[in-house]
Amino acid sequence: MDSYERSVTLLRFCRGHKKLSVSMFRERGISSGQPPILDYLSRNSGCIQNDLSRYCHLEPATITSILTTMERDGLIERRASPTDRRVWLIYLTDAGHALYDSMQDASARVADICFDGFTESESEQILVYLKRITANIRRVNGGCCRDESQAEQK
C-alpha cells in the first residue's frame, strides 16, 4: 500500500468514526460541540472559559455560544469567581454529569463496533499505532490535537 492509499484509508476511518460517533451522540441529545466540553468539565470542574477554548481548539466566541446553549439546557452553571469578579467558573450540573455518562456509554459502543472481530491484543496494538499517528500529526500541526494530558490541566 503506498502513501496515498494509507492516507485515504485513514481518512475513511476518521470520517466513518466521526459519522458513527455523531449519530450515537445525537441519539442521546449531545450536539457536535459538546463532547470535548463535557469531557474537560468532567475532569476540571470550576475551570474558566479560556481553558475550555484552548482544550477544544475553538474560538472564545464559539465556546461562549456552546456554553450559553448548555447553560440554557441545564447542563452547566457559571459561578462568579471568588477572587476575580471578571471571571466566571464553569461547572457541570447533575444533568451535565448524566449527559457525560451517556456520552461515555456511546463512545464505548462506538469502540465496540470499531474493534469487533479483533482480539484484545490486536485492539491494544491498534490503539498504540493510532496514538503514534496522533503524536506525529500533533508534532507537525503544532499541537492542534487534544490528548489525555491536556484533559488533566487545571
Side-chain angles (χ1 to χ4, degrees):
M1 183 180 297
D2 66 18
S3 292
Y4 175 77
E5 290 174 290
R6 285 192 294 260
S7 181
V8 169
T9 299
L10 284 170
L11 184 59
R12 286 184 182 139
F13 164 75
C14 290
R15 285 181 177 164
H17 184 275
K18 182 173 183 172
K19 185 176 181 179
L20 181 59
S21 296
V22 167
S23 173
M24 294 238 177
F25 291 160
R26 191 174 294 132
E27 288 173 6
R28 290 162 172 79
I30 302 167
S31 72
S32 62
Q34 292 176 342
I37 293 172
L38 291 167
D39 180 60
Y40 191 82
L41 289 176
S42 73
R43 301 171 200 218
N44 298 279
S45 187
C47 73
I48 61 172
Q49 187 169 319
N50 284 342
D51 294 341
L52 274 172
S53 183
R54 275 193 303 277
Y55 175 73
C56 297
H57 299 283
L58 293 172
E59 294 297 318
T62 303
I63 291 289
T64 297
S65 175
I66 295 169
L67 291 177
T68 298
T69 300
M70 291 177 77
E71 186 174 35
R72 181 200 68 210
D73 294 344
L75 302 173
I76 64 152
E77 63 180 30
R78 299 179 212 200
R79 300 180 200 157
S81 168
T83 58
D84 187 342
R85 291 185 200 172
R86 300 167 295 168
V87 174
W88 292 91
L89 306 178
I90 305 163
Y91 297 86
L92 283 179
T93 62
D94 289 343
H97 282 288
L99 193 61
Y100 172 75
D101 291 343
S102 180
M103 181 185 79
Q104 283 189 304
D105 292 343
S107 294
R109 179 68 184 124
V110 169
D112 289 344
I113 291 167
C114 289
F115 290 104
D116 185 40
F118 291 93
T119 66
E120 187 66 28
S121 176
E122 289 171 330
S123 297
E124 289 175 13
Q125 192 60 52
I126 290 168
L127 290 174
V128 167
Y129 294 145
L130 289 173
K131 287 178 181 181
R132 284 173 55 190
I133 291 169
T134 302
N136 290 342
I137 293 168
R138 189 179 306 114
R139 187 179 65 248
V140 172
N141 280 346
C144 77
C145 301
R146 282 187 297 276
D147 69 8
E148 298 83 30
S149 65
Q150 290 174 303
E152 299 302 323
Q153 292 178 1
K154 178 118 179 171

